[in-house]
Amino acid sequence: MHRIYDFIRRHPTWVDSFYAVLLLALSAAWIIASTQADFEGAALGTKEQVAAVPVSLALSLVVALRRRLPEKMLVLACATGLVQLVTNVQVFVGNFAFLVIIFTVASRTVPWASRLALAGAFLAPTIATFRWPSPNQDAFEDALGAILMTACFVLAWVMGDSLRTRQAYYKQLEERAARLEKEREAQAKVAVAAERARIARELHDVVAHNVSVMVVQADGAAYVLDTAPDQTRQALETISGTGRQALAEMRRLLGVLRTGEQSKESGEYVPQPGVEQLNELVDQVRGTGLTVAFEIQGTPRPLPSSVELTAYRIVQEALTNTRKHGGPRVGANVRLRYGDGELALLAEDDGRGAQRDVYEDGGTDGLGHGLIGMRERVGMVGGNLEAGPRPGGGFRICAVLPLKSAP
């Protein structure tokens, strides 16, 4: 059955042509039957019989092309009706085409054609009644029949106009949905660009801090070069390690799209927060009344600055949204696990949990853009991020950050 409906939708002209052929066959049968003496009603004369043939062909053509050329078929139907009046071809089965074309034109968006079809719906039955009154009925019965036929024609126009209104409404909804989708995509692109710009500025500060450390160590090594060789060696080792880390961070920095925005801070660069500041962050959140369990598993060790900054920002965003949207008496859990080659991070709460769209539309702490910012940060360091509702209620964020620097 589905295939039949699909064929009808894809080949409307073929379907209309089938009905047109069927209508033409019924009209031919009527013409042949009307020549018989026992035919109900007045039998057609030779002239009327000849005129009925092109009238039947024209009305069948109206049905066949009603969807492809609706306005032209309406004009053809009107012209055919006038010819039928002049040639005295009485109402027959082929006149069903008038109902079809009135419905079709009313469902379109051409005002003049719709008004013409409505006028025809009111006038055609009355004109036909006066032109071919029934010999077996009185004037009242003819008037009642004209009223009923007019109601049928007007109902066909109303149904077509209702279909047009409904189609216009659905089209408006589709256009609105498409426009909202484009706006959402544009907002997401703007959010990604802004977040990348902010990440780039933070990484720039990290690199500048490392370079500042190298300069200080180099100055110290030069000062104690002759008097304290051991301190000089230690300073050079620090410079070497810091330089390698600065180069790694610079590679990451070049991979992030940075806009031309200028940082609002002064020209002095300061180190960005890392995992060592997580205790301070958790204590600060606890001071607002939120219960937070913080656990570190594994052996802490020095991490790349970008990984530390990413971990800190993820925990900050997660705890802020828990405090804002977790509900009363909500509790949070933060776990940091040092692996062989990765840093695993878990942040979850047991409350109602911030909805996914809160993270996607924007972070509530004013520093990031929810999941967009988290994904950008985690992707920048080559990690993986999973976020979603937590079984039993709440929200869970899991991130795995590799500790090996990209070559």
Side-chain angles (χ1 to χ4, degrees):
M1 204 66 182
H2 177 73
R3 293 182 178 179
I4 296 177
Y5 291 150
D6 185 63
F7 177 83
I8 293 176
R9 286 193 299 267
R10 289 186 291 107
H11 304 90
T13 304
W14 289 14
V15 177
D16 291 339
S17 299
F18 169 78
Y19 289 122
V21 172
L22 180 61
L23 186 63
L24 183 61
L26 294 176
S27 300
W30 176 84
I31 295 173
I32 295 174
S34 64
T35 60
Q36 305 298 324
D38 57 349
F39 180 74
E40 295 183 1
L44 292 179
T46 303
K47 294 181 179 180
E48 289 81 2
Q49 186 179 9
V50 172
V53 175
V55 170
S56 301
L57 291 174
L59 293 178
S60 298
L61 183 63
V62 168
V63 175
L65 301 179
R66 66 183 184 92
R67 277 187 275 198
R68 177 171 292 184
L69 303 170
E71 291 79 21
K72 293 181 179 180
M73 292 301 103
L74 176 63
V75 174
L76 177 61
C78 292
T80 303
L82 294 176
V83 172
Q84 187 175 353
L85 289 173
V86 173
T87 57
N88 195 29
V89 178
Q90 60 181 318
V91 178
F92 68 109
V93 65
N95 292 123
F96 179 77
F98 289 107
L99 277 173
V100 175
I101 193 61
I102 287 175
F103 168 82
T104 303
V105 172
S107 65
R108 295 301 194 268
T109 58
V110 181
W112 69 266
S114 180
R115 289 193 291 266
L116 178 59
L118 181 60
F122 278 105
L123 296 177
T126 303
I127 295 175
T129 300
F130 281 103
R131 182 67 175 84
W132 299 288
S134 176
N136 300 326
Q137 296 179 352
D138 55 20
F140 175 77
E141 292 177 340
D142 286 339
L144 182 60
I147 292 174
L148 292 177
M149 288 302 299
T150 301
C152 293
F153 275 75
V154 173
L155 180 60
W157 185 91
V158 171
M159 293 176 61
D161 187 71
S162 176
L163 177 61
R164 177 191 61 80
T165 303
R166 187 164 60 251
Q167 289 176 343
Y169 176 71
Y170 289 153
K171 183 178 180 180
Q172 184 179 7
L173 290 181
E174 291 176 355
E175 291 176 352
R176 182 180 179 183
R179 184 172 63 255
L180 291 177
E181 183 66 22
K182 291 181 179 179
E183 292 177 356
R184 184 181 180 89
E185 292 177 358
Q187 292 175 356
K189 291 180 180 179
V190 171
V192 169
E195 185 65 17
R196 289 184 176 181
R198 192 174 71 85
I199 295 173
R201 288 194 299 268
E202 291 180 349
L203 283 177
H204 180 270
D205 295 345
V206 169
V207 174
H209 172 71
N210 290 335
V211 174
S212 299
V213 172
M214 294 169 60
V215 172
V216 172
Q217 293 292 333
D219 291 341
Y223 182 75
V224 298
L225 179 61
D226 298 329
T227 59
D230 294 336
Q231 295 182 10
T232 302
R233 184 182 302 104
Q234 183 178 1
L236 292 176
E237 292 176 354
T238 302
I239 292 173
S240 176
T242 306
R244 290 190 179 92
Q245 184 176 355
L247 288 175
E249 303 304 335
M250 184 63 72
R251 294 191 187 98
R252 301 185 190 279
L253 174 61
L254 295 176
V256 179
L257 296 177
R258 181 172 185 175
T259 62
E261 301 176 0
Q262 297 295 331
S263 179
K264 295 182 180 180
E265 294 85 359
S266 62
E268 181 180 357
Y269 296 108
V270 295
Q272 296 292 333
V275 293
E276 294 182 357
Q277 283 73 36
L278 284 178
N279 285 313
E280 299 177 4
L281 176 63
V282 171
D283 292 339
Q284 181 182 4
V285 174
R286 287 170 178 167
T288 63
L290 177 65
T291 303
V292 182
F294 180 52
E295 180 184 4
I296 297 179
Q297 298 178 352
T299 303
R301 58 183 182 275
L303 303 174
S305 301
S306 57
V307 174
E308 292 199 30
L309 179 59
T310 298
Y312 182 90
R313 292 304 189 198
I314 291 176
V315 175
Q316 183 184 41
E317 181 74 22
L319 292 180
T320 303
N321 282 284
T322 297
R323 181 169 56 86
K324 295 288 186 180
H325 305 279
R329 296 185 299 276
V330 62
N333 179 35
V334 177
R335 183 169 69 242
L336 205 65
R337 181 174 59 82
Y338 289 84
D340 294 336
E342 64 184 20
L343 178 68
L345 175 65
L346 171 67
E348 60 181 0
D349 62 70
D350 55 6
R352 295 194 306 271
Q355 299 298 323
R356 179 178 293 272
D357 54 0
V358 172
Y359 285 91
E360 290 179 347
D361 292 343
T364 57
D365 60 356
L367 295 176
H369 294 278
L371 284 179
I372 293 178
M374 292 184 186
R375 290 196 180 99
E376 288 298 317
R377 291 183 178 278
V378 173
M380 180 192 65
V381 298
N384 296 319
L385 176 70
E386 295 182 2
R390 177 176 173 267
F395 203 87
R396 171 180 294 169
I397 297 174
C398 300
V400 178
L401 310 177
L403 302 183
K404 295 181 179 179
S405 301

